[in-house]
Amino acid sequence: MKILLIYPYFLEARVFTTADVGPVPLGVYYVAAALKADSYDVEILNWHDISATPEKIGKILREKKPDVIGFSILHGNRWGGIDIARVARQIDPRVTIVFGGVGATFLWEHFLTHFKEVDYIVIGEGEHTFLNLVRHLESGHPEAIESLDGLAFRKDGLAVRTADAPAVTFLDDLPDPARYFAYPHLALTRGCAGNCNFCGSPRFWGRHVRFHSADYFVGQIQRLYQRGIHFFYFSDDTFTVSKKRAIEVCKKIIEKKLDITWNAISRVDHINEDILFWMRKAGCVQISYGVESGSEKIRNLLQKKIATDTILNAFTLTQSYGIMARAYFIYGCPEESWQTVQETIDLIGQIKPLSTVFYILDIFPGTQLYEDYKHRFGHNEDIWLNRIEDIMYFETDPDLSSELILAFGQKLRTYFNENLSRFVEAIDLIDSEELYPQHSNFCSRLAMTFDYGDYARIEEIENKDRIAANLYQRAISYHPNAEAFLGLGILFQKRGANREAVDILSRGLTHFPGDGRLNICMGVSLMNLEQWDRALSHFLEFQNVKEAVRFAALCYRSLGDEKKAAGFQKTFEQME
């Protein structure tokens, strides 16, 4: 039996949050691992962007010839799932279509009532339910499917569902997806003790938090590390909900000498200096916190029970340990006004985040906000027959308008961008020699965002080269850092200050003599000074690097050796 698990496309293009919707949800890998462990032929297709080339959908489905297709439905991609399911059913009317995920769980009756392409809905956690469903389909006795918990289907033309499947109590009992697949997103936990009214996590996972053991979790990291993945996203709702467990994970990462970097998500009321120290030592470079609003009134309306002092303390501590503190904000909320937006701006000025994400408040099934919406307007799930991803809260509030929301968002982003340089200058790293290498890495990474990363492309951020140069210099003051030496060398080159570039790159090469990038950058600076022989010596050691070969040809030509210049030019043209 051939099984495909598909992550379908969204209707709307993402401007600021492509990275949040691009990766396949982690749960898909766990479902696939359960199938693999039971010897099923399963393949995962990340089709979050296949709408750009829709002709590939039918072509690939014809090639794969699946017997069962499972779709991971978040909510905004539900129409992508429907569209692909329709193509699949046209190609093979016998194929079994299964929807699962948070979007399918909360709209199971809607899908089965209105979309004949969908045969089954897996409700809640899918590892056991989907595996048992496949076993029953393969057995030739589909009538027994009615005995499975956590499943919805049609009976006598009506949408029905069975009882909830028991939650997976011991997460370590699940087959490790890292034995079969490569992916960068991980989770130590399932569940969230919070109760934010805009989030579906409490209803989907439950408010009781369940854990992998530190051994299972770090073992998963180790397998993925051996597959070549060195950067990870720890995607828990709150990675530090158990400080003891989180620190244990960090110590095991260090113990196994896993040279990784990673981002995490936490809450401002679940952080302290001890855990920040161990997270930084273990490679954490960013923690995202849901701040939501600077208005305490709005935070209370959203049921985000965090105090302003707690927010300020978390951001100050996080950045003092050389971890970028990223703030999630939501605007266009109940009772939003210019006054509450100004309160958010004031809070941004206090906490000085180094990264922000501003969302407009959405209404999604599975949230308390959605239940309130249905009660206020008397709507039912038929609203989702419209080809939309979501419902914006402001569209339901007569005191808000699209023009006002646009103005709110522009005001917030402009304030952050115009003040970011001030936030960078205010960074006060803890004076701990043990953390100097990490501080150097932090400053260098941050410099790169201004030099050629995300911030380099934002016009509202002024003096980007100056900010980058200061950060690179600060990095070097803590600990030798190849990226910082290189960054400074390139900045000097851009200014035409080639002698200064040679000086800083020479310092870098005393620490990193075999670094190809430093050598090539040094060679370019020497070429700019017409010191061809010296430049050539830096290129000839890296004749496997296409760029170095090209520069070597130029040096030989400038030195009058046309034969060697022609030889290197020919080699350059033959290199891929």
Side-chain angles (χ1 to χ4, degrees), residues 4-250:
L4 294 181
L5 298 181
I6 296 176
Y7 177 47
Y9 57 85
F10 291 71
L11 292 180
E12 301 169 9
R14 265 54 185 176
V15 178
F16 301 107
T17 56
T18 303
D20 291 345
V21 301
V24 173
L26 180 59
V28 176
Y29 290 105
Y30 274 89
V31 170
L35 293 164
K36 285 273 193 183
D38 211 42
S39 300
Y40 281 101
D41 179 8
V42 59
E43 187 175 352
I44 296 171
L45 299 180
N46 185 354
W47 279 2
H48 81 278
D49 58 356
I50 203 169
S51 57
T53 52
E55 67 280 0
K56 291 183 179 180
I57 295 172
K59 179 177 182 292
I60 293 172
L61 291 176
R62 287 185 179 90
E63 291 172 354
K64 303 290 185 184
K65 296 182 173 60
D67 300 293
V68 178
I69 306 177
F71 289 87
S72 175
I73 306 298
L74 299 182
H75 194 70
N77 65 348
R78 72 189 191 285
W79 278 106
I82 292 295
D83 292 344
I84 296 168
R86 286 172 174 166
V87 174
R89 186 55 56 79
Q90 288 171 359
I91 292 170
D92 182 0
R94 298 166 300 173
V95 68
T96 299
I97 305 293
V98 185
F99 274 22
V102 63
T105 291
F106 295 129
L107 289 180
W108 65 269
E109 190 170 9
H110 168 80
F111 282 116
L112 291 170
T113 299
H114 296 287
F115 300 100
K116 64 182 184 299
E117 296 83 9
V118 182
D119 298 309
Y120 299 98
I121 304 284
V122 171
I123 296 173
E125 291 176 311
E127 292 90 352
H128 297 322
T129 301
F130 194 92
L131 174 60
N132 288 329
L133 172 61
V134 168
R135 286 171 173 168
H136 280 68
L137 290 171
E138 190 177 42
S139 72
H141 299 287
E143 67 280 357
I145 287 171
E146 295 184 21
S147 66
L148 299 179
D149 289 337
L151 200 65
F153 46 87
R154 293 183 197 85
K155 185 175 183 180
D156 300 326
L158 299 176
V160 297
R161 58 157 295 174
T162 61
D164 287 341
V168 179
T169 305
F170 301 104
L171 298 185
D172 285 7
D173 290 344
L174 296 171
D176 180 4
R179 294 183 182 276
Y180 310 102
F181 305 101
Y183 50 92
H185 287 70
L186 304 170
L188 175 66
T189 64
R190 290 186 182 182
C192 180
N195 197 31
C196 303
N197 65 5
F198 56 85
C199 180
S201 182
R203 275 191 61 191
F204 186 82
W205 296 113
R207 295 185 65 188
H208 173 69
V209 181
R210 293 162 286 150
F211 295 86
H212 280 299
S213 68
D215 284 332
Y216 181 105
F217 186 71
V218 177
Q220 192 174 47
I221 295 172
Q222 189 169 27
R223 291 186 184 96
L224 294 168
Y225 183 81
Q226 291 165 350
R227 288 176 176 269
I229 299 174
H230 293 172
F231 184 84
F232 295 91
Y233 300 87
F234 293 3
S235 302
D236 309 79
D237 288 313
T238 308
F239 174 70
T240 59
V241 65
S242 167
K243 296 181 179 66
K244 180 180 178 182
R245 186 76 56 105
I247 289 173
E248 186 183 1
V249 165
C250 292

Side-chain angles (χ1 to χ4, degrees), residues 514-521 538-553 568 571-573 575-576:
D515 190 293
R517 299 165 306 162
L518 288 175
N519 275 280
I520 291 170
C521 190
H538 289 279
F539 300 136
L540 292 180
E541 295 202 23
F542 300 93
Q543 295 186 37
N544 61 329
V545 179
K546 189 175 183 180
E547 193 177 27
V549 172
R550 179 169 69 91
F551 288 135
F568 273 85
T571 301
F572 168 73
E573 292 170 356
M575 296 176 80
E576 293 182 359

Side-chain angles (χ1 to χ4, degrees), residues 218-520:
V218 177
Q220 192 174 47
I221 295 172
Q222 189 169 27
R223 291 186 184 96
L224 294 168
Y225 183 81
Q226 291 165 350
R227 288 176 176 269
I229 299 174
H230 293 172
F231 184 84
F232 295 91
Y233 300 87
F234 293 3
S235 302
D236 309 79
D237 288 313
T238 308
F239 174 70
T240 59
V241 65
S242 167
K243 296 181 179 66
K244 180 180 178 182
R245 186 76 56 105
I247 289 173
E248 186 183 1
V249 165
C250 292
K251 288 182 177 179
K252 286 185 180 294
I253 290 172
I254 297 167
E255 176 188 316
K256 291 182 178 293
K257 295 181 171 58
L258 298 176
D259 184 17
I260 62 172
T261 52
W262 45 282
N263 294 349
I265 303 169
S266 189
R267 281 179 58 105
V268 295
D269 51 359
H270 282 76
I271 212 78
N272 62 28
E273 291 198 60
D274 193 28
I275 195 167
L276 287 168
F277 172 83
W278 287 108
M279 287 177 72
R280 189 65 191 100
K281 289 287 286 183
C284 180
V285 294
Q286 177 180 284
I287 302 176
S288 297
Y289 296 107
V291 177
E292 321 314 356
S293 175
S295 164
E296 191 165 351
K297 175 182 69 175
I298 287 183
R299 291 201 301 271
N300 288 334
L301 286 170
L302 297 177
Q303 295 174 207
K304 188 81 174 195
K305 306 295 185 180
I306 50 175
T308 299
D309 287 348
T310 305
I311 299 170
L312 178 58
N313 181 64
F315 275 76
T316 301
L317 281 180
T318 300
Q319 293 185 166
S320 75
Y321 277 85
I323 300 174
M324 178 182 283
R326 181 166 79 157
Y328 287 125
F329 289 101
I330 300 175
Y331 62 100
C333 300
E335 301 190 29
E336 193 82 84
S337 65
W338 279 114
Q339 178 184 338
T340 60
V341 168
Q342 186 59 50
E343 289 176 32
T344 297
I345 288 172
D346 292 342
L347 182 61
I348 293 171
Q350 285 183 279
I351 65 176
K352 303 176 180 63
L354 298 177
S355 176
T356 55
V357 179
F358 297 99
Y359 292 104
I360 301 171
L361 182 61
D362 275 322
I363 300 175
F364 287 116
T367 67
Q368 185 57 51
L369 204 62
Y370 179 64
E371 296 304 315
D372 294 342
Y373 161 77
K374 290 196 297 181
H375 178 74
R376 281 189 295 130
F377 293 96
H379 288 172
N380 58 29
E381 268 69 37
D382 286 354
I383 185 72
W384 303 112
L385 291 172
N386 296 312
R387 201 170 173 88
I388 57 174
E389 280 198 7
D390 50 21
I391 300 167
M392 297 290 188
Y393 171 80
F394 77 83
E395 296 171 338
T396 75
D397 190 329
D399 293 328
L400 299 172
S401 67
S402 57
E403 293 78 14
L404 194 58
I405 294 301
L406 186 65
F408 287 164
Q410 185 63 45
K411 181 78 171 179
L412 290 164
R413 291 186 180 92
T414 297
Y415 176 81
F416 172 73
N417 290 334
E418 290 181 347
N419 286 271
L420 183 55
S421 61
R422 179 170 64 85
F423 299 162
V424 171
E425 290 170 358
I427 294 170
D428 185 15
L429 299 174
I430 189 169
D431 189 15
S432 167
E433 288 191 27
E434 188 174 358
L435 290 174
Y436 280 179
Q438 285 79 17
H439 288 351
S440 178
N441 174 270
F442 168 74
C443 292
S444 180
R445 290 174 65 89
L446 186 56
M448 287 186 278
T449 65
F450 290 94
D451 192 359
Y452 54 84
D454 291 342
Y455 293 150
R457 296 184 288 272
I458 299 176
E459 292 184 5
E460 289 174 329
I461 301 174
E462 297 181 347
N463 303 313
K464 292 185 277 287
D465 281 356
R466 179 180 61 80
I467 297 169
N470 289 341
L471 285 166
Y472 284 138
Q473 290 283 11
R474 193 170 179 185
I476 292 168
S477 73
Y478 280 112
H479 193 267
N481 185 297
E483 295 286 356
F485 285 118
L486 179 66
L488 283 170
I490 293 172
L491 286 174
F492 282 130
Q493 283 180 358
K494 286 164 65 176
R495 297 209 300 260
N498 289 292
R499 295 192 185 281
E500 289 85 346
V502 168
D503 288 343
I504 195 68
L505 291 166
S506 294
R507 286 177 55 194
L509 287 168
T510 63
H511 297 285
F512 308 100
D515 190 293
R517 299 165 306 162
L518 288 175
N519 275 280
I520 291 170

